[in-house]
Amino acid sequence: MPAPSLPAVLPVFPLTGSLLLPGNYLPLNVFEPRYRNMVADALDGERTIGMIQPRRADPDDDWGLAEEPASPELYGVGCAGRIDRCEPQPDGRYLIVLRGVARFRAGCELPLQRGYRRVRADYAEFAGDLDESERELDPSPVLAAVRAFSRAHGLELDFTLLSGLSGITLLNGLAAALPFGPAEKQALLEAARPEERRGLLLSLLEMGVPRGPRERYVPPTVH
């Protein structure tokens, strides 16, 4: 690390509530001009974009609903994703799907390029991310916990599908998909190893989703 295929200068897409993990897929509807520029430049280059959360504008806003400043402070860790699919739209938007490759620690921020932000990315402490999908991880504790969680919160989940996933795929998919707040998402992202992420996810499932204005919560798959 850093692997030759991962750029040292990384364009970043700050998005509250977003969680991209190695091997996960994240669909995005990109419509802001600066982010359309970012996607166009990535397609012409290394096809890699860093997803990272902005820090909360309001420390008491557990759901990240407060209006963010134009260039909010960023968390220190994000995840680099490669554009796996891209569908340019007639109105200039891009429908893209990112596939998570490896997490990065954001270093110094560079001047804006065509309106979007860039950071120097250090991947060294996340060397294991590149072969994380090959790790063996027992899925049974997560399956049991998410069954109890779904009953308690009235969620309809396809357990036939979930039961067929590998332990890592199940863990990372649920970490991204379940409606935890931005701080919990960030903690799941920063967990050093899959085993630690599983322990944290199990704790969050046991505690349940924090009470908050869920009717206003927007899943972080569209921007």
Side-chain angles (χ1 to χ4, degrees):
M1 284 296 251
S5 59
L6 292 172
V9 174
L10 188 64
V12 291
F13 196 153
L15 189 56
T16 296
S18 169
L19 182 60
L20 180 63
L21 289 165
N24 274 19
Y25 291 90
L26 177 65
L28 294 166
N29 176 9
V30 182
F31 59 82
E32 285 191 46
R34 55 182 168 168
Y35 297 124
R36 297 201 316 246
N37 291 342
M38 181 177 66
V39 170
D41 291 349
L43 291 170
D44 286 339
E46 299 181 80
R47 300 180 68 90
T48 305
I49 291 170
M51 296 302 301
I52 193 165
Q53 289 200 105
R55 292 190 180 274
R56 292 173 296 179
D58 179 356
D60 297 323
D61 176 23
D62 290 334
W63 289 81
L65 298 173
E67 184 176 353
E68 298 286 355
S71 295
E73 181 185 357
L74 304 175
Y75 274 101
V77 175
C79 185
R82 186 150 294 125
I83 298 175
D84 186 73
R85 295 195 296 277
C86 178
E87 297 178 13
Q89 302 300 297
D91 60 3
R93 291 178 299 120
Y94 290 98
L95 301 180
I96 67 171
V97 177
L98 290 181
R99 184 181 190 278
V101 179
R103 291 169 292 167
F104 64 91
R105 187 163 293 278
C108 66
E109 188 161 348
L110 303 173
L112 295 178
Q113 178 166 299
R114 300 223 292 156
Y116 60 84
R117 300 170 72 175
R118 301 175 299 152
V119 300
R120 293 201 178 276
D122 184 354
Y123 309 92
E125 66 187 279
F126 305 111
D129 286 4
L130 292 178
D131 59 4
E132 183 173 285
S133 62
E134 301 173 9
R135 298 278 297 274
E136 294 286 340
L137 193 71
D138 181 8
S140 56
V142 174
L143 279 171
V146 81
R147 282 183 188 277
F149 180 89
S150 66
R151 287 195 297 268
H153 294 275
L155 298 180
E156 294 186 8
L157 301 176
D158 185 344
F159 283 97
T160 300
L161 173 64
L162 294 180
S163 298
L165 300 177
S166 70
I168 288 289
T169 301
L170 177 70
L171 169 64
N172 288 352
L174 289 174
L178 290 172
F180 300 123
E184 289 77 18
K185 296 273 189 178
Q186 190 66 27
L188 288 163
L189 174 68
E190 295 190 21
R193 298 179 300 115
E195 291 79 7
E196 294 177 23
R197 186 177 304 129
R198 179 177 62 182
L200 177 56
L201 179 63
L202 291 174
S203 296
L204 291 170
L205 288 170
E206 183 177 351
M207 291 187 295
V209 175
R211 293 190 180 276
R214 283 180 224 162
E215 68 276 8
R216 294 175 57 200
Y217 179 73
V218 179
T221 57
V222 177
H223 194 276

